[in-house]
Amino acid sequence: MKAAWDEVRRLIDADAVHRRGFTLKEVGPHFILHQAEMELAELKRAPNDPTELADVLGVLIHYAVKKGWTEEQLEELMLAKFKERFRIPNQTGE
């Protein structure tokens, strides 16, 4: 996944142009979240297509980079949330 994060950073730094005409530097968080919603809708229509999930994740990585959040930071937060929300039945300890 690190390669995907690095590529998103590279594309933003290069002010890459999307095929629809916008550049990655010019778009803000609201626009990116709207894109994520559109990509999620596509995933809902094609739930067995991993390329649609890849689109959602790519947009969300773009959002994270724009917010200044690192993959390490988000990984820690995700692991903490998993620990907080889930338990393994019949497992002792913790």
Side-chain angles (χ1 to χ4, degrees):
M1 199 58 104
K2 179 172 176 19
W5 282 77
D6 291 345
E7 182 63 5
V8 169
R9 285 189 198 99
R10 187 187 75 77
L11 290 168
I12 292 169
D13 290 344
D15 203 17
V17 180
H18 189 275
R19 65 182 175 206
R20 289 182 24 218
F22 60 85
T23 66
L24 294 188
K25 278 188 181 178
E26 76 184 48
V27 297
H30 180 75
F31 180 89
I32 298 168
L33 288 177
H34 178 71
Q35 291 297 121
E37 289 172 343
M38 292 185 350
E39 295 297 350
L40 185 57
E42 289 182 17
L43 178 59
K44 285 179 177 181
R45 288 190 297 274
N48 297 317
D49 185 348
T51 62
E52 296 302 343
L53 179 58
D55 289 343
V56 173
L57 293 173
V59 173
L60 293 176
I61 290 171
H62 181 194
Y63 184 79
V65 170
K66 284 286 184 105
K67 295 299 248 178
W69 302 332
T70 66
E71 58 266 45
E72 295 86 8
Q73 177 186 13
L74 289 172
E75 180 179 51
E76 278 185 38
L77 292 169
M78 290 169 65
L79 292 173
K81 287 287 187 175
F82 296 158
K83 190 173 183 177
E84 178 183 306
R85 292 181 175 155
F86 299 99
R87 66 177 181 76
I88 306 295
N90 303 319
Q91 183 177 359
T92 59
E94 296 191 337

